[in-house]
Amino acid sequence: MGKYLFLGDEAIAQAAIDAGLSGVYAYPGTPSTEITEYIQTSPTAKTRGIHSRWSTNEKTALEAALGMAYAGKRALCCMKHVGLNVAADCFMNAAMSGTHGGLIILTADDPSMHSSQNEQDNRVMGNFAMIPMLEPSSQQEAYDMVYDGFELSERLGYPLLLRITTRMAHSRAGVETRPPKEQNPLSFPADGRQRFILLPGLARLRFKALLKAQEAFTHASETSPYNQYFDAPDKTLGIIATGIAFNYLAENYPEGFEHPVVKISQYPLPRRLIERLADTCAEILTLEEGYPVVEEQLKGFLGKGITVHGRLDGTLSRDGELTPDAVGKALGKEISAFYAVPEVVEQRPPALCAGCGHRDVYEALNEVIQTYEGAKVFSDIGCYALGALPPFRAIDSCIDMGASITMAKGAADAGAFPSVCVIGDSTFTHSGMTGLLDCVNEQSNVTILISDNETTAMTGGQDSAGTGRLEDICRGIGVEPEHLRVMTPLKKNYEEMKRIIREEIEYRGVSVLIPRRECIQTLKRKHPAKQ
Amino acid sequence: MKTDIILAGVGGQGILSIAAVIGEAALCEGLCMKQSEVHGMSQRGGDVQSNLRLSDRPIASDLIPLGGANLILSLEPMESLRYLPYLRPDGWVVTHSEPFVNIPNYPDMDRVNDELGKLPHKVTLDVERIAREAGSARAANIVLLGAATPFIGISYAQIEEGIRRIFHRKGENVVGLNLKALRAGMEAALPFPAKA
Ligand SMILES: Cc1ncc(C[n+]2csc(CCOP(=O)(O)OP(=O)(O)O)c2C)c(N)n1
């Protein structure tokens, strides 16, 4: 116990340890990665034997977490927002089965797309699954929500979705910790088969149970310490602020609110608090970090024709992260910068590190590809996606993890040639292996480069699930040994690399090339003296 | 007491260790603090910034409002200019003077210096050179912090304490080198006009 300066992610990790966690299951993804990393390096977690090894993807992570919770223990599953798309099948159905031990599913959303392909707001997913959600407004609240959250999950019998955003994940503040609790003993749900076998007859009963449970979830929201009503004199406007939007609101009223405010950090919506606001105020302004989720719900929910302002009527921008300035403007405040950004300032996009093996892969690949008219290079998620930028401009797509192999297959099916793809080693084991099996089964005419830096580099160098076994995996899936070729991406090998790439493009079938050289960042960390 | 600081630089330069020292010092003083960091994609050589807010009262927002920062502390001259809309009219810019060139269209340094020259309150120093002269080339960020100590709102002694706490695990020698770098930065900034 004590007071610590924690990132939001660290507060969540410490809270989970203190709450009697038995296992965290996760696949790395900004801005959620530091939660699992904190538990992996925590001495307490080690002595308590808390599981913390990385999973192969978010789906395997969530299923394992559900299994641990089925066995009565407390489990945490962490992912970035798009990870929940991968885990969605388990997610939707875990809402049907419910849980036995406490289960918290954490989604770290990334509005403004600091490090992501989209800015999806996973409160939509929480509503879709109809499970209770928590959205902290401060690092302390994040700590308390997790510390108490496992008990709430056990009491309600359902998993909770904890939604944070980049600012909460990666912002530090003082956090007061609480006394550590014991882990749960091994135990199984008494009505396990009724709940966990989702055959249609039983599933129908489970859905009715989930619908009935909404009442208890709403009651929990209405009595939650995280949802609050603040009265204030000027009733021309009532304000609903969710998650960290509440902070930006408070920043604009340093001397106290002028309008009544409902702060929401637990869902489903606390009906009574909102009805009270709607009954006393002429209009409502919703402030949400992300999609207009509450704003849309209010329209159906209030049914009184009350005017609601927010992201849908243009009071706030429909996209992008909130800021104190954006919220101030929505409140009609004068916001002004004194200085402007001078014209001389240029953009500075991220780039592949000097000495990175992906650079050599693209150098060699580009030279070969230029000799083919209409060649397409489908790529994927990872550092190597930076091959999109100059000087390489080497790739044509980057959609979702694993999509490079399967898009190359589809394009080849359509007649595109050459149909090449570049995928990272961690992305390959995350979601590329199944697509490779599709290619092998149909002998698709694709050339697949697994650019293997033996780590998950983009997110900071976590272990990669298939390191040392990629050839075995490819052979096992059925890639022909003579079209499975390993090379070392270095300048001195360019001629050989180019020759191999060309030969395998010319081979009408599935080829897998593995350029392999360790990430220079992880290498530097292992040998700091060489820096 | 309330100080809003923007730390700026290029991914990999080490702005977060400056934030860590100030944070530790603030914690010793019993101040409230919020600090948003940049992790992820832009750490690969892109522009990075961190908002650091200190106050003797609770802080609401993790982000500094436009025109609200008392100080921009930058390890790169062009990067110090990127965040000017966040600077108060009476705020200070303390920046390293030498460019970090990792883009093909990096502007002419004379133009960057002209813009810096227009600012009424600034300190520009070659903190890498000062760090080398002080005996630790790796402590350039601490030299920069030293140069900014008059504008942070925390006493010099308390910032020294922050350094001791952050570096103590690396041994007395490292602590000593960083304290020396801090002092070298503070002294190098003395000739710049003091805060009005
Ligand atoms: C579904 C999903 N999960 C996680 C991420 C976060 N993420 C982006 S890139 C990446 C690492 C990819 O590693 P690898 O394929 O080995 O390429 P490297 O970065 O090492 O070059 C991860 C985990 C994501 N974008 N989508």
Side-chain angles (χ1 to χ4, degrees):
Chain A
M1 283 190 299
K3 187 156 185 166
Y4 302 89
L5 211 48
F6 277 147
L7 290 177
D9 277 353
E10 294 169 345
I12 287 164
Q14 184 62 49
I17 295 170
D18 293 342
L21 183 77
S22 293
V24 60
Y25 293 87
Y27 180 74
T30 314
S32 70
T33 312
E34 292 83 355
I35 302 170
T36 304
E37 286 183 333
Y38 182 97
I39 297 173
Q40 286 172 341
T41 53
S42 152
T44 319
K46 192 162 195 177
T47 44
R48 288 183 153 218
I50 297 175
H51 173 280
S52 63
R53 196 178 154 159
W54 292 110
S55 304
T56 301
N57 67 32
E58 292 85 354
K59 178 175 183 286
T60 67
L62 183 52
E63 288 156 353
L66 182 64
M68 179 169 268
Y70 174 90
K73 308 237 174 183
R74 294 182 169 175
L76 173 67
C77 180
C78 305
M79 59 196 77
K80 73 179 289 160
H81 57 349
V82 288
L84 193 54
N85 302 337
V86 177
D89 203 0
C90 180
F91 179 70
M92 294 302 293
N93 292 309
M96 297 283 283
S97 66
T99 187
H100 176 47
L103 175 57
I104 297 181
I105 303 164
L106 177 129
T107 170
D109 297 0
D110 189 19
S112 276
M113 299 171 255
H114 298 279
S115 307
S116 311
Q117 315 103 285
N118 74 26
E119 61 173 36
Q120 71 182 64
D121 182 333
N122 278 344
R123 290 178 303 162
V124 174
M125 296 291 280
N127 283 339
F128 193 17
M130 292 188 280
I131 59 173
M133 278 187 282
L134 299 163
E135 189 188 13
S137 67
S138 69
Q139 289 75 0
Q140 183 68 57
E141 230 174 44
Y143 179 92
D144 292 332
M145 282 174 171
V146 173
Y147 187 84
D148 296 325
F150 290 103
E151 260 151 38
L152 179 64
S153 164
E154 283 160 10
R155 184 162 59 75
L156 296 172
Y158 284 88
L160 309 180
L161 181 65
L162 176 65
R163 187 233 184 194
I164 60 171
T165 54
T166 306
R167 289 298 157 196
M168 172 56 54
H170 288 167
S171 178
R172 247 174 239 287
V175 174
E176 205 80 65
T177 64
R178 291 155 67 183
K181 301 181 206 177
E182 288 298 318
Q183 293 182 46
N184 285 352
L186 183 71
S187 77
F188 298 106
D191 50 352
R193 291 186 173 182
Q194 263 74 45
R195 291 175 50 193
F196 285 84
I197 301 177
L198 294 176
L199 285 171
L202 292 170
R204 282 181 207 115
L205 298 177
R206 288 309 301 164
F207 190 49
K208 284 196 192 299
L210 176 62
L211 293 173
K212 185 155 183 299
Q214 299 305 307
E215 216 175 292
F217 298 170
T218 302
H219 179 74
S221 278
E222 280 171 345
T223 52
S224 162
Y226 310 121
N227 294 336
Q228 275 172 289
Y229 192 98
F230 299 85
D231 205 7
D234 186 348
K235 317 276 200 247
T236 55
L237 186 71
I239 302 171
I240 296 175
T242 66
I244 65 170
F246 181 77
N247 302 342
Y248 301 140
L249 178 66
E251 182 74 22
N252 278 283
Y253 293 110
E255 309 304 328
F257 297 129
E258 286 163 20
H259 304 285
V261 172
V262 173
K263 167 187 177 293
I264 296 179
S265 282
Q266 184 171 334
Y267 306 78
L269 286 182
R271 278 194 101 96
R272 277 192 313 208
L273 295 186
I274 290 176
E275 276 163 4
R276 184 173 157 203
L277 191 77
D279 286 344
T280 43
C281 297
E283 298 189 348
I284 289 182
L285 170 67
T286 51
L287 301 173
E288 307 178 67
E289 182 77 306
Y291 284 15
V293 175
V294 173
E295 193 178 344
E296 275 176 347
Q297 267 182 295
L298 282 187
K299 306 220 152 151
F301 180 112
L302 294 169
K304 289 181 191 151
I306 186 168
T307 307
V308 179
H309 301 291
R311 288 190 188 257
L312 290 175
D313 74 341
T315 304
L316 288 146
S317 162
R318 176 62 182 79
D319 64 335
E321 198 181 9
L322 290 180
T323 62
D325 311 307
V327 169
K329 239 177 91 191
L331 294 163
K333 304 218 165 193
E334 194 81 39
I335 304 295
S336 60
F338 181 76
Y339 296 99
V341 184
E343 231 173 80
V344 60
V345 175
E346 297 287 352
Q347 291 207 359
R348 199 190 294 261
L352 288 171
C353 305
C356 167
H358 296 320
R359 283 181 174 268
D360 297 309
V361 171
Y362 284 128
E363 294 281 358
L365 179 62
N366 269 353
E367 283 197 35
V368 179
I369 284 293
Q370 272 157 18
T371 64
Y372 289 94
E373 179 107 16
K376 292 292 167 206
V377 178
F378 299 92
S379 192
D380 226 302
I381 317 278
C383 283
Y384 51 94
L386 295 171
L389 306 175
F392 306 108
R393 301 184 201 272
I395 64 171
D396 295 287
S397 73
C398 166
I399 301 285
D400 68 88
M401 292 191 77
S404 59
I405 295 182
T406 23
M407 280 184 74
K409 177 186 187 302
D413 291 348
F417 174 80
S419 195
V420 177
C421 93
V422 179
I423 186 169
D425 50 299
S426 181
T427 303
F428 175 68
T429 46
H430 177 287
S431 288
M433 299 188 298
T434 44
L436 178 59
L437 183 57
D438 283 347
C439 293
V440 166
N441 285 346
E442 293 188 42
Q443 274 304 299
S444 310
N445 189 13
V446 292
T447 307
I448 298 167
L449 283 90
I450 305 177
S451 193
D452 182 10
N453 56 7
E454 303 182 302
T455 189
T456 316
M458 180 95 269
T459 44
Q462 296 76 23
D463 289 343
S464 177
T467 298
R469 285 175 296 146
L470 292 185
E471 290 92 313
D472 286 347
I473 291 170
C474 291
R475 269 193 297 269
I477 287 172
V479 177
E480 294 162 312
E482 56 279 27
H483 296 290
L484 176 61
R485 304 176 74 171
V486 180
M487 47 200 181
T488 306
L490 282 169
K491 241 191 196 71
K492 63 173 189 195
N493 297 338
Y494 277 6
E495 289 312 312
E496 184 201 353
M497 290 168 72
K498 278 163 32 188
R499 181 175 51 77
I500 294 176
I501 293 168
R502 188 177 299 281
E503 282 171 13
E504 295 306 330
I505 285 177
E506 289 300 326
Y507 170 65
R508 305 293 154 121
V510 180
S511 315
V512 176
L513 313 183
I514 308 181
R516 174 175 297 132
R517 181 154 70 75
E518 187 179 353
C519 165
I520 60 147
Q521 297 291 347
T522 54
L523 196 67
K524 265 191 207 167
R525 237 175 288 156
K526 279 186 220 156
H527 309 283
K530 281 192 195 154
Q531 249 179 312
Chain B
M1 182 276 171
K2 180 171 176 293
T3 309
D4 284 344
I5 306 171
I6 290 185
L7 296 156
V10 179
Q13 276 191 318
I15 61 165
L16 292 183
S17 39
I18 303 179
V21 173
I22 301 177
E24 202 60 41
L27 212 61
C28 302
E29 292 247 311
L31 293 172
C32 299
M33 163 173 162
K34 279 200 173 180
Q35 185 218 333
S36 83
E37 302 183 356
V38 173
H39 297 210
M41 192 118 173
S42 43
Q43 282 179 305
R44 301 262 164 281
D47 55 277
V48 291
Q49 52 83 21
S50 167
N51 281 207
L52 180 56
R53 313 193 74 187
L54 310 171
S55 175
D56 48 18
R57 292 175 46 190
I59 303 161
S61 163
D62 299 89
L63 296 176
I64 298 169
L66 285 167
N70 306 81
L71 173 65
I72 292 176
L73 198 53
S74 178
L75 278 165
E76 211 281 341
M78 181 180 80
E79 293 307 326
S80 74
L81 300 173
R82 194 183 298 281
Y83 305 100
L84 282 182
Y86 289 93
L87 192 66
R88 290 163 56 108
D90 61 350
W92 278 77
V93 171
V94 178
T95 183
H96 180 36
S97 57
E98 304 309 302
F100 185 99
V101 181
N102 66 345
I103 47 172
N105 53 337
Y106 194 95
D108 188 50
M109 258 324 273
D110 290 342
R111 291 177 59 213
V112 174
N113 284 329
D114 282 351
E115 291 298 339
L116 281 167
K118 288 183 198 163
L119 300 171
H121 315 290
K122 67 192 168 281
V123 178
T124 58
L125 293 172
D126 183 346
V127 294
E128 277 172 14
R129 184 179 52 76
I130 298 169
R132 272 196 307 276
E133 287 167 8
S136 174
R138 292 173 72 176
N141 49 4
I142 301 299
V143 172
L144 188 77
L145 173 60
T149 44
F151 316 118
I152 293 175
I154 299 179
S155 73
Y156 187 82
Q158 201 64 265
I159 291 185
E160 286 188 312
E161 184 56 27
I163 288 199
R164 280 189 203 99
R165 289 187 179 216
I166 291 289
F167 292 104
H168 85 271
R169 256 186 297 157
K170 297 189 174 168
E172 266 315 299
N173 189 27
V174 174
V175 170
L177 279 173
N178 280 287
L179 288 175
K180 206 172 150 205
L182 188 77
R183 184 156 296 276
M186 187 267 284
E187 285 170 357
L190 284 179
F192 290 82
K195 195 169 186 176

